[in-house]
Amino acid sequence: MPILKSLGVADPKVPRAGTLPLRSSRNPFEEVPGLEEEAGELGTLPNGTSCRRRATLEKLAGLAPFRLGWSPGRRAGSPGDGPPRSFLGRVLAPGIRRGSADFGLLARLQGTRAHGDDEAAREAAGRLAFLRLGRGAKPRRASLAERVVPAGEAAPEPPPKVPEPPKMKEPLSVLEILSLIQRRELARADEHILELEAEELASSGGGAPGPPQAEGAGGGRRARDVALLYEALQRELWALVRETLAGPGLGAGAGAGAVAQLGQVLVQEEAADGRRGPGAARRLRARWAEAVARAARERLEAAAPGAAGGLAGQLEALRARLLEDMAVVRGRLAPAYPAGLGAFGVYLRGYHGALAEWLATSARRRLALADRYALLHWHNQVYPREVLGLVDMVALENGELGPLLSPGTLLGLEDECVTDVKAQTRAALLRVLQEDEERWGGVTDHPSNLAQDVCELLEQHTERAPRISKEFGERMAHCCLGGLAEFLQSFQQRVERFHENPGIRELPPDSYISRTIALVNCGPPLRALAERLARVGPPESEPAREASASALDRVTRLCHRVLADLLFQELQPHFNKLMRRKWVSSPEALDGIVGALGAQALALRRMQDEPYQALVAELHRRALVEYVRPLLRGRLRCRSARTRGRVAGRLREDAAQLQRLFRRLESQATWLDAVVPHLAEVLRLEDTPSIQVEVGVLVRDYPDIRRKHVAALLDIRGLHSTAARQEILAVARDLELSEGGALSPPRDRAFFSDIPVPRPSFCLSFPLLLGHLPVSRLARPSLACLPLRPRPPSPARPRARR
């Protein structure tokens, strides 16, 4: 004992200050509060003793006599043992799950001892090592077999070992389960939580576990522990969902194992929900789908705001994020889940729902027209083709996904687009027309871009809308066609004012012709645009198409008439030389006409093909009308067959020359080539039946000819026989009646209707005049038929006074 004192070892029989006696009549932990209480001061036990003691809690835990309820002769766990009533009994009793409050106090005690007894433990270890050095090596004691068996004899074989009974698995405490959750051992933690829940169910009398009750409502501590553990487990599960989407690298290796544990937890909980019943099911699978949707929403919201380029740039960023995340899900996350969960479909639906919310929020804002176009195109084309088109839709369990935006929202966006396009195009078209009209009266020759500007303004809408949907394309085409028809009506009115302006006529002829040709050239592209919009649009677009075509036709006819008038003003002196005696023997007059028309054709070639063909056909028709007009007006009379032959020959030569001219000008009015040769044949033929046949052909090919025209032609050839005239005119009358002469031909096929009809002749009855006129005067054919023309009254002559 003095040696121990000299070494600083305390006497075990004498208690030191601050230490607990090894034996005591009362348990020093009887005063320890329950699980709800905490140690008052770190470093002091609740009974007031210091933590710097020799008999620490760990040493007490190894001594069986200090267990609560132990007495000599009684085994732990015998039928007389009741449940431990103190902290130490709850800690040390085997087979009993330790609560969260016990381990909270135990952790504090262990931390205090570990912090305060380090120095004393090191000092005692050094002293004991010094004693071992003084005593030398510990001698080896003989075993029991060596003591019993004499020396030199073989030792008997040891008895076979009796297998120990399997040790009962000790249930984990709440803190240990929480530690498993924090270490992401989620499947194992969930198993222990289910065991703890089963224990709580057994202790509560077999009722189904439900949501945790408030502490004041009588809920047990174990039920609260289960609820808290489930909350901690779900926090880790949903955090794992977010992390695996945010970090693509977590989908492989350790991350795949964590995702597999998440899936195992969902499978275990789904099986447990079947045992719990509908009212107590925790539905972790549904909450997992909600967590996936929340994570998808966070991912999309983080991608969209940082994108440049307005709404179109944000939609492109969303597309890239969707493809990136779905590639991670398909390649790494979905294979880690159990197959029965349908993980890929859950993630796809989560992203689809998050995207639908984002688009609905954007659609409710006041968007510009370009942003509406971008949103509709992305919704109808980009997302189905470039996102869903790359996704395996067979992986979905419940069929196809719903629409991102409701039909009402889409219709509202389309209505706003149509309204904005109607307002913007009307203002833009009027502005373009005003700018172009300001250049019409200038002397300089600037090319007109009016048609190109109008087409570009409308086509930027009519080309984008059909790419969104066919129905939206039809609505936009109808809208743009209505705006085009309104614009063309304004355009027609301004062209009419331009040509009616007296100051415009003072421009140089070349400049005026160039302006007119530029106005005509606006017609073909605008007409083609109207036809295309009418084909794309609904049937209700036909009135707008007709109005557009009518306005363009008026503009084209007006400009053609203006150009033709200018041309024939120059040609009129040459036409005045026709059907004269000099004309019969000289082609000078027709050569002047052909030369002037050929010179003007160079300027007309700047016109586009469609209006150029129409203008050349009109020039062809009008040139022949002006050629035949002096013939039918009786400027020339044929008194003999020789004269009729010469006139018919000249007519045929002029007709051939005009035909060559207009072929060179690419005229399509070939129906005019035969009119002059037919007239020449009527003059050349001598017998009445041949004349009747030729007149019949003439009336058939040119329905607008009348008997008055035929009568004037007979007067020119000198046919004054009443019977022959009646027979020839009867052919014309019969053909008129059979073909319905009341119907006039179309304007582009009219010929004789533009030639003034000569006044009818009045034939005198010869018997009435025989007694008054000499025979020599009656033989003159010029007096046989007199024109029915009232003679102007002669001025009254004053009578001479006788």
Side-chain angles (χ1 to χ4, degrees), residues 433-509:
L433 182 57
Q434 182 67 29
E435 294 175 355
D436 196 76
E437 186 181 13
E438 293 174 357
R439 297 193 294 267
W440 291 354
V443 179
T444 57
D445 187 10
H446 291 287
S448 177
N449 298 324
L450 178 64
Q452 181 180 356
D453 296 340
V454 171
C455 292
E456 289 178 355
L457 282 173
L458 296 179
E459 285 175 353
Q460 65 178 340
H461 304 293
T462 58
E463 291 179 359
R464 296 185 66 177
R467 291 198 295 264
I468 294 173
S469 66
K470 181 181 178 182
E471 295 76 12
F472 185 48
E474 292 179 357
R475 296 185 60 191
M476 188 59 66
H478 180 65
C479 169
C480 292
L481 183 57
L484 179 62
E486 182 179 350
F487 164 79
L488 291 178
Q489 292 175 1
S490 301
F491 175 65
Q492 172 202 342
Q493 296 171 2
R494 300 197 182 199
V495 171
E496 292 173 352
R497 289 199 301 266
F498 168 74
H499 288 295
E500 293 171 359
N501 186 4
I504 298 299
R505 298 283 183 170
E506 299 177 359
L507 293 174

Side-chain angles (χ1 to χ4, degrees), residues 301-592:
E301 291 175 354
L311 186 61
Q314 295 179 0
L315 293 171
E316 178 61 24
L318 290 178
R319 185 192 67 84
R321 177 59 57 86
L322 280 168
L323 293 178
E324 175 187 354
D325 288 0
M326 295 313 298
V328 172
V329 172
R330 183 194 305 204
R332 288 178 283 217
L333 298 184
Y337 283 97
L341 293 178
F344 185 79
V346 171
Y347 276 89
L348 181 59
R349 292 184 185 278
Y351 273 90
H352 185 82
L355 182 61
E357 294 179 7
W358 193 93
L359 292 180
T361 303
S362 300
R364 286 192 293 269
R365 298 198 303 264
R366 179 61 183 173
L367 299 175
L369 180 60
D371 290 340
R372 290 197 198 95
Y373 273 132
L375 182 59
L376 289 172
H377 181 259
W378 198 91
H379 176 275
N380 289 11
Q381 299 297 328
V382 176
Y383 182 69
R385 182 180 64 250
E386 300 185 15
V387 178
L388 295 184
L390 303 177
V391 171
D392 185 11
M393 300 300 293
V394 181
L396 297 178
E397 296 179 353
N398 300 326
E400 297 182 357
L401 298 171
L404 289 174
L405 295 175
S406 64
T409 303
L410 292 176
L411 184 60
L413 290 173
E414 293 178 359
D415 291 340
E416 293 175 359
C417 285
V418 170
T419 303
D420 288 355
V421 167
K422 185 180 297 184
Q424 292 183 12
T425 53
R426 179 183 297 140
L429 291 175
L430 291 178
R431 183 174 61 253
V432 169
L433 182 57
Q434 182 67 29
E435 294 175 355
D436 196 76
E437 186 181 13
E438 293 174 357
R439 297 193 294 267
W440 291 354
V443 179
T444 57
D445 187 10
H446 291 287
S448 177
N449 298 324
L450 178 64
Q452 181 180 356
D453 296 340
V454 171
C455 292
E456 289 178 355
L457 282 173
L458 296 179
E459 285 175 353
Q460 65 178 340
H461 304 293
T462 58
E463 291 179 359
R464 296 185 66 177
R467 291 198 295 264
I468 294 173
S469 66
K470 181 181 178 182
E471 295 76 12
F472 185 48
E474 292 179 357
R475 296 185 60 191
M476 188 59 66
H478 180 65
C479 169
C480 292
L481 183 57
L484 179 62
E486 182 179 350
F487 164 79
L488 291 178
Q489 292 175 1
S490 301
F491 175 65
Q492 172 202 342
Q493 296 171 2
R494 300 197 182 199
V495 171
E496 292 173 352
R497 289 199 301 266
F498 168 74
H499 288 295
E500 293 171 359
N501 186 4
I504 298 299
R505 298 283 183 170
E506 299 177 359
L507 293 174
D510 293 341
S511 179
Y512 183 64
I513 291 175
S514 298
R515 296 295 178 193
T516 306
I517 291 176
L519 294 176
V520 173
N521 285 338
C522 294
L526 295 178
R527 189 186 302 273
L529 177 61
E531 295 291 339
R532 185 166 61 253
L533 294 179
R535 287 194 301 269
V536 175
E540 293 80 8
S541 303
E542 186 61 23
R545 187 201 65 79
E546 293 178 354
S548 301
S550 176
L552 290 174
D553 289 340
R554 293 191 185 98
V555 170
T556 303
R557 285 197 300 267
L558 175 61
C559 293
H560 283 176
R561 187 177 72 248
V562 168
L563 292 174
D565 290 344
L566 289 175
L567 178 59
F568 280 94
Q569 284 178 3
E570 298 180 5
L571 296 176
Q572 193 60 42
H574 300 283
F575 282 110
N576 291 335
K577 297 178 182 180
L578 297 175
M579 308 306 163
R580 307 282 183 178
R581 290 182 179 180
K582 187 178 181 179
W583 165 79
V584 176
S585 59
S586 173
E588 178 184 354
L590 189 65
D591 291 342

Side-chain angles (χ1 to χ4, degrees), residues 20-21 24 26-32 47 60:
L20 295 177
S24 175
R26 57 190 298 270
N27 194 339
F29 293 97
E30 290 291 344
E31 303 295 334
V32 177
N47 58 359
L60 291 176

Side-chain angles (χ1 to χ4, degrees), residues 160-232:
K161 293 184 178 180
V162 180
E164 299 180 357
K167 296 182 179 179
M168 183 179 61
K169 183 179 178 182
E170 183 180 1
L172 298 182
S173 66
V174 176
L175 291 179
E176 289 172 327
I177 299 174
L178 182 60
S179 178
L180 292 177
I181 295 174
Q182 294 172 350
R183 295 198 303 268
R184 294 282 175 89
E185 299 182 18
L186 303 177
R188 184 181 171 196
D190 185 63
E191 293 176 358
H192 288 284
I193 294 174
L194 293 175
E195 292 177 2
L196 183 60
E197 186 180 31
E199 294 176 6
E200 190 272 335
L201 177 63
S203 63
S204 62
Q213 300 176 354
E215 190 168 349
R221 174 175 298 155
R222 187 171 296 171
R224 292 195 299 273
D225 288 346
V226 171
L228 294 174
L229 287 174
Y230 266 116
E231 291 180 3

Side-chain angles (χ1 to χ4, degrees), residues 552-781:
L552 290 174
D553 289 340
R554 293 191 185 98
V555 170
T556 303
R557 285 197 300 267
L558 175 61
C559 293
H560 283 176
R561 187 177 72 248
V562 168
L563 292 174
D565 290 344
L566 289 175
L567 178 59
F568 280 94
Q569 284 178 3
E570 298 180 5
L571 296 176
Q572 193 60 42
H574 300 283
F575 282 110
N576 291 335
K577 297 178 182 180
L578 297 175
M579 308 306 163
R580 307 282 183 178
R581 290 182 179 180
K582 187 178 181 179
W583 165 79
V584 176
S585 59
S586 173
E588 178 184 354
L590 189 65
D591 291 342
I593 294 173
V594 172
L597 283 173
Q600 291 294 334
L602 297 176
L604 299 179
R605 292 301 298 174
R606 291 178 294 172
M607 196 176 295
Q608 295 192 16
D609 289 340
E610 181 181 353
Y612 174 78
Q613 295 294 337
L615 178 58
V616 169
E618 175 63 19
L619 293 178
H620 192 176
R621 187 193 70 85
R622 191 163 175 177
L624 290 178
V625 167
E626 296 298 328
Y627 181 88
V628 174
R629 187 193 304 272
L631 177 66
L632 295 182
R633 292 188 66 177
R635 184 180 295 178
L636 185 67
R637 297 283 181 171
C638 301
R639 302 181 184 275
S640 63
R642 181 173 176 273
T643 305
R644 289 194 294 269
R646 291 179 61 189
V647 171
R650 172 55 57 189
L651 289 176
R652 285 193 297 269
E653 291 177 3
D654 290 352
Q657 190 173 358
L658 290 173
Q659 182 178 354
R660 289 192 298 269
L661 169 65
F662 285 105
R663 281 183 180 177
R664 188 169 66 252
L665 297 180
E666 301 177 1
S667 172
Q668 303 296 326
T670 56
W671 61 279
L672 293 169
D673 294 339
V675 61
V676 175
H678 282 314
L679 297 177
E681 286 298 311
V682 172
L683 295 178
R684 186 186 64 84
L685 295 174
E686 296 296 333
D687 56 317
T688 301
S690 299
I691 296 175
Q692 287 179 326
V693 172
E694 196 64 32
V695 169
V697 174
L698 189 64
V699 174
R700 182 196 63 191
D701 293 343
Y702 302 95
D704 60 337
I705 194 172
R706 296 293 178 260
R707 282 177 292 173
K708 297 177 181 181
H709 295 98
V710 177
L713 190 60
L714 295 178
D715 291 340
I716 293 169
R717 76 179 309 277
L719 181 61
H720 300 291
S721 172
T722 305
R725 291 174 67 91
Q726 294 298 329
E727 291 178 4
I728 296 173
L729 293 177
V731 174
R733 182 180 65 249
D734 294 342
L735 290 175
E736 288 178 10
L737 296 177
S738 63
E739 296 181 2
L743 298 176
S744 60
R747 176 66 185 172
D748 57 348
R749 302 285 294 184
F751 185 82
F752 288 97
S753 59
D754 286 349
I755 299 176
V757 179
R759 296 182 180 276
S761 299
F762 175 71
C763 296
L764 298 177
S765 177
F766 288 160
L768 295 177
L769 298 176
L770 288 177
H772 302 280
L773 294 176
V775 178
S776 60
R777 300 245 353 233
L778 291 176
R780 296 175 59 183

Side-chain angles (χ1 to χ4, degrees), residues 98-118:
R98 289 156 286 178
S100 59
D102 302 336
F103 271 81
L105 180 58
L106 182 58
R108 288 174 179 256
L109 295 177
Q110 290 177 350
T112 304
R113 181 199 60 78
H115 180 73
D117 290 350
D118 289 343

